Amino acid sequence: MTPPPAISDAVTIELNAVLVALTGNQPLVLTLEDGALLPSGPFATEHPTLQSGVRAWVERQTQHPLGYVEQLYTFADRNRPASDGQRRVVSISYLGLTRERLSAGARDPEWRSWYRYFPWEDWRAGPSPLVAQTILPQLSTWADAAGAVAQQRERRQRIDVNFGDGVENWNEDLILQRYELLYEAGLVPETLQERNRAAPSAVEPVPGMPMRHDHRRILATGIARLRAKIKYRPVFFELMPPEFTLLQLQRAVEALAGRPMHKQNFRRLIDQQGLVEPTGASTSETRGRPAKLFRFRREIVLERSVAGTKLPLSRPI
Amino acid sequence: MTPPPAISDAVTIELNAVLVALTGNQPLVLTLEDGALLPSGPFATEHPTLQSGVRAWVERQTQHPLGYVEQLYTFADRNRPASDGQRRVVSISYLGLTRERLSAGARDPEWRSWYRYFPWEDWRAGPSPLVAQTILPQLSTWADAAGAVAQQRERRQRIDVNFGDGVENWNEDLILQRYELLYEAGLVPETLQERNRAAPSAVEPVPGMPMRHDHRRILATGIARLRAKIKYRPVFFELMPPEFTLLQLQRAVEALAGRPMHKQNFRRLIDQQGLVEPTGASTSETRGRPAKLFRFRREIVLERSVAGTKLPLSRPI
DNA sequence: CTTGATTATGCTCATTCTTAGTATAATTAA
DNA sequence: TTAATTATACTAAGAATGAGCATAATCAAG
């Protein structure tokens, strides 16, 4: 145990951002180079903290304030040397939510639906047919190809836990684990590039656009974090316009979760938790009965500490 | 937006670990230098990944395998220059759980109850008197001292959310926020060192041992993560011996959560989830009726993907 | 102006999950 | 033999959840 803070070799820090916005019921993520990369930036000495570094750099580029920023993960990839060929790169990734998006339709910083990268994650219209028809059969082949019987069983169990049967037992939070499983099974192009550059694999990769480096993995991490977070913290308001109808809010949450929700119960929950208040106005932009407009009650975030415990704490003291 | 991974100034990586063990119903954390520091180590080039770096370094030092390792947080503290006086330090902290502990009673790597650092967090015997008697009055003074009325109200609300009234509305997961609030209010010695080195503050710091640098903050982050995690993932088994009684398990969880639990309901939950299986043996180490011994069903971790949703997903598909 | 389609919203109901017990069993220490 | 201690089974009230029916308010066609 080295008492004084130990000093290691020098490394270079790279910041990566998963920037999320929401338009027309699509969850969007900011990409570069024809969707092949997430925005990356330097961490320069002038920034007092990492978070302020991310904010400064993103806001300068997008001209829009970041509503919410959260650190995702830090890792050091041995396979990715710094471009100066010398130092190792440590990348720190962040999730950022923003309310408006810049330059819709622009080519280089471009907003894309994240379901282009993870088409199997969109279950808003029911079970994604990709899972049952394409993914599960291929994963099944992979499981059978394992050497030992024990390993076959283990693979099958992991497949079952993470993908269910294609209809039931789908847990939208497991997006990262699912991507990792596909990666391990060699069913995403990223694997091929890395392992079989010389000898391309025989299996057809699963649909879904790849990214360079590990960026699709970082994106999966961001989506997973966001999907988990909305269940106990109303961060989705950071993505909404100042006023909205309850159906718009529901569609937004569904876009993030990738799952349909029960309309009446959704309203009941939002209402019970006192998350919104009516503005008094209503809108007739929809076809049917005009919907009341609501705004988010910002105070609530301070008021509540929310937490869904699973352990039998005695008395709600 | 800089397309190619941008390169920033060189920095030095420091790894910090919150290593947790459990003995005699006390949650222990490994410390150095008379409890003033968490173990820190270098991240050297030979390690393929950060996680393997942490494992290697910790296991070499403690001679014990780490059951579970999880990244906590990364940050760059402008106030802490590298000891070579040149490069900036970026510290990456990890949480590690270990089943046995080395050298009980040793002086330098020393295991200490984490409640020595956060005495107000121990509510196992009911509401901690420290909160109502010492902390809340001092925080109240601090709130009143705010300049603007709006700021006073905001402070009071934060106090209320994070500390409740000293008896009710205590959320054990908010340990980090509570520490940060005390820090902001100048009620922990760490603040004094930093801000008022010349002119010591008039207020008496709240009981609880401080640490150097930001180590007590890192510890709070680790405890918070662990307290939150045990609610949806049975990581506490990493801290248990191979065989245990249900009461021992309950005491372990209570030590982590800092809250008492309802015995019968605890058992029912553990049982329902199929987390344990009887070994067939029982123990008479306790005074009363002998308890059955159980072991953890490791398979269950694979089988279950657990998740407590708060949103009204339609049908449990 | 009537009808059907569409969206909004109020309300009910069965089921499950929690919380907080009571009751009883099996031990040891005195 | 009794009191204290620990383990375990069982129950009942209340809250939260998931599903659906019913009704209201609007627009687009005919």
Side-chain angles (χ1 to χ4, degrees), chain A:
Chain A
M1 232 34 67
T2 12
I7 300 310
S8 69
D9 310 13
V11 303
T12 284
I13 299 289
E14 173 191 298
L15 300 174
N16 290 295
V18 176
L19 292 178
V20 176
L22 211 40
T23 310
N25 297 339
Q26 284 301 315
L28 302 176
V29 61
L30 196 67
T31 62
L32 299 176
E33 304 224 355
D34 219 16
L37 288 176
L38 292 173
S40 302
F43 174 55
T45 331
E46 74 260 24
H47 296 123
T49 68
L50 286 169
Q51 185 126 334
S52 67
V54 173
R55 272 189 190 276
W57 148 65
V58 166
E59 293 180 353
R60 184 159 33 82
Q61 300 291 344
T62 66
Q63 317 286 358
H64 263 302
L66 266 183
Y68 177 85
V69 175
E70 172 177 328
Q71 195 179 94
L72 285 175
Y73 206 74
T74 300
F75 77 112
D77 186 350
R78 152 168 279 176
N79 300 317
R80 185 139 58 104
S83 46
D84 62 7
Q86 296 282 6
R87 299 197 212 100
R88 186 165 187 167
V89 174
V90 168
S91 54
I92 309 179
S93 48
Y94 280 83
L95 170 67
L97 306 185
T98 182
R99 189 162 295 187
E100 303 188 41
R101 63 206 191 77
L102 172 83
S103 58
R107 267 304 307 267
D108 206 28
E110 183 186 4
W111 292 96
R112 298 192 171 207
S113 166
W114 71 39
Y115 293 120
R116 290 180 67 173
Y117 299 96
F118 304 102
W120 60 88
E121 293 290 339
D122 189 356
W123 284 47
R124 284 177 290 176
S128 163
L130 255 183
V131 175
Q133 288 166 24
T134 308
I135 296 181
L136 283 176
Q138 294 207 51
L139 281 175
S140 189
T141 307
W142 171 71
D144 294 342
V149 175
Q151 199 187 12
Q152 283 182 14
R153 242 210 340 253
E154 203 220 300
R155 285 186 178 180
R156 281 202 213 94
Q157 194 169 45
R158 282 180 61 201
I159 295 167
D160 190 57
V161 167
N162 291 302
F163 286 89
D165 64 357
V167 179
E168 305 221 326
N169 298 320
W170 181 260
N171 180 343
E172 65 280 1
D173 289 351
L174 303 179
I175 167 169
L176 178 59
Q177 288 92 316
R178 283 189 285 266
Y179 174 75
E180 285 177 339
L181 198 51
L182 293 175
Y183 186 99
E184 241 180 281
L187 299 178
V188 295
E190 285 96 328
T191 328
L192 309 179
Q193 279 169 22
E194 199 172 285
R195 295 213 291 228
N196 313 352
R197 198 181 288 275
S201 161
V203 287
E204 187 74 9
V206 157
M209 208 187 137
M211 296 181 104
R212 289 220 287 279
H213 306 308
D214 53 338
H215 285 198
R216 190 150 60 142
R217 189 181 197 284
I218 295 175
L219 176 54
T221 308
I223 298 172
R225 185 72 66 86
L226 188 49
R227 284 184 169 181
K229 194 123 198 168
I230 55 176
K231 281 164 194 155
Y232 62 97
R233 203 141 231 202
V235 286
F236 38 79
F237 287 107
E238 305 288 350
L239 299 165
M240 301 296 293
E243 301 193 350
F244 46 83
T245 69
L246 291 182
L247 186 58
Q248 282 165 0
L249 183 62
Q250 183 183 338
R251 294 288 178 245
V253 177
E254 289 173 333
L256 301 181
R259 297 272 300 261
M261 304 198 175
H262 184 281
K263 191 195 270 197
Q264 296 94 318
N265 291 345
F266 178 82
R267 283 152 188 264
R268 178 176 55 188
L269 267 188
I270 296 294
D271 185 71
Q272 271 177 2
Q273 299 177 77
L275 291 175
V276 298
E277 62 193 1
T279 66
S282 40
T283 178
S284 329
E285 283 173 25
T286 53
R287 302 262 291 295
R289 170 174 170 175
K292 286 193 215 145
L293 283 171
F294 292 84
R295 75 170 70 88
F296 178 41
R297 292 185 56 224
R298 291 225 155 251
E299 322 87 82
I300 205 72
V301 177
L302 270 183
E303 282 170 32
R304 317 183 103 241
S305 49
V306 257
T309 182
K310 264 303 192 186
L311 290 167
L313 299 169
S314 59
R315 278 178 307 143
I317 55 173

Side-chain angles (χ1 to χ4, degrees), chain B residues 12 25 44-45 71 75-76 106 121 126 146 170 188 202 215 234 238 245 252 261 269 283 292 317:
Chain B
T12 284
N25 297 339
T45 333
Q71 194 179 93
F75 79 112
E121 294 290 338
W170 181 260
V188 295
H215 285 199
E238 305 288 350
T245 71
M261 306 202 174
L269 267 187
T283 178
K292 285 190 216 151
I317 56 171

Side-chain angles (χ1 to χ4, degrees), chain B residues 177-191:
Chain B
Q177 288 93 315
R178 283 188 285 266
Y179 174 75
E180 285 175 340
L181 198 51
L182 293 175
Y183 185 100
E184 242 179 280
L187 298 178
V188 295
E190 285 96 327
T191 328

